Amino acid sequence: MTAQGPDPRFFDLWSHFYDVPWVQRLTYRPVHDAVLGELRARRPARILDVGCGTGLLAARLGRELPRSVVVGCDFSRGMLRRAARHRRLRCVQGDALRLPLRDQSFDALVCTEAFHWFPDPEAALGEFRRVLAPRGRLLLALVNPPFAVLGAAARAGSRLLGEPLRWPTRARLRAQVEAAGFRVEAQTRVLRLVAPLAFPTFLTAASRSD
Ligand SMILES: C[S@@+](CC[C@H](N)C(=O)[O-])C[C@H]1O[C@@H](n2cnc3c(N)ncnc32)[C@H](O)[C@@H]1O
């Protein structure tokens, strides 16, 4: 188990249900569409997906951006076993807080619906910056509640369940991303049916500020 973070075995278990089509359509697909739209405009050569889960987004990026090399990274063996079914997808097992990847080895880094699970967001952002090339792009999608009190309530509830998460407000996330050495370009709402008012999802797009 990582310090104060969820146990990878929680995600190993979750991996059995993750690819159910209606779950994907209601929750993750709109986020993946938004990320793909952003990447299509720039077509980065090397893309890293941190917290790639079963590899659905990473594999889709590989198919729809065939000139890009896509690598998925996750700390859950169960998730990665499923990701391995996507034949041409490269995956590595690793913790977002200590990415087993070289400095400046990617032009874009995506992280969808995973960042809120990382027990030390600042350390993760430091790692994102380290593995991105200068001016490399960061696409971070997660729930950003409109008020900090909603994030605090979600955190308290998740702690009770033993798997603590952090959903920062958009302003808080922007401040964290900028403090880590990125310039935030946009924070765009992702429309989806699940909890759209209290717990909306945003895609934060940023680039390494050097
Ligand atoms: C909700 S899933 C999202 C999967 C995928 N990004 C998507 O959009 O479908 C969250 C993923 O984050 C991974 N994860 C959580 N904490 C992690 C950590 N510290 N390091 C690496 N992966 C982590 C989990 O194993 C899980 O696969």
Side-chain angles (χ1 to χ4, degrees), residues 2 5-8 10-12 14-15 18-19 24 28-29 31-32 49-57 73-77 79-80 94-99 110-119 141:
T2 52
D7 188 326
F10 166 66
F11 296 101
D12 293 346
W14 193 356
S15 71
Y18 200 79
D19 289 349
Q24 283 296 323
Y28 302 110
R29 180 83 185 191
V31 177
H32 296 176
D49 182 354
V50 178
C52 67
T54 57
L56 286 176
L57 173 61
C73 176
D74 204 287
F75 74 170
S76 154
R77 285 178 204 278
M79 290 286 186
L80 289 177
D95 192 321
L97 308 188
R98 291 179 300 276
L99 290 172
V110 308
C111 182
T112 58
E113 302 292 356
F115 188 74
H116 54 284
W117 293 114
F118 304 159

Side-chain angles (χ1 to χ4, degrees), residues 22-39:
W22 66 265
V23 173
Q24 283 296 323
R25 214 166 297 130
L26 279 178
T27 55
Y28 302 110
R29 180 83 185 191
V31 177
H32 296 176
D33 291 344
V35 167
L36 184 61
E38 281 284 331
L39 292 175

Side-chain angles (χ1 to χ4, degrees), residues 49 52-60 62 70-72 82-91:
D49 182 354
C52 67
T54 57
L56 286 176
L57 173 61
R60 187 171 166 206
V70 184
V71 176
R82 301 222 161 218
R85 295 177 186 180
H86 302 284
R87 274 213 226 120
R88 290 187 0 237
L89 178 61
R90 301 182 196 181
C91 286

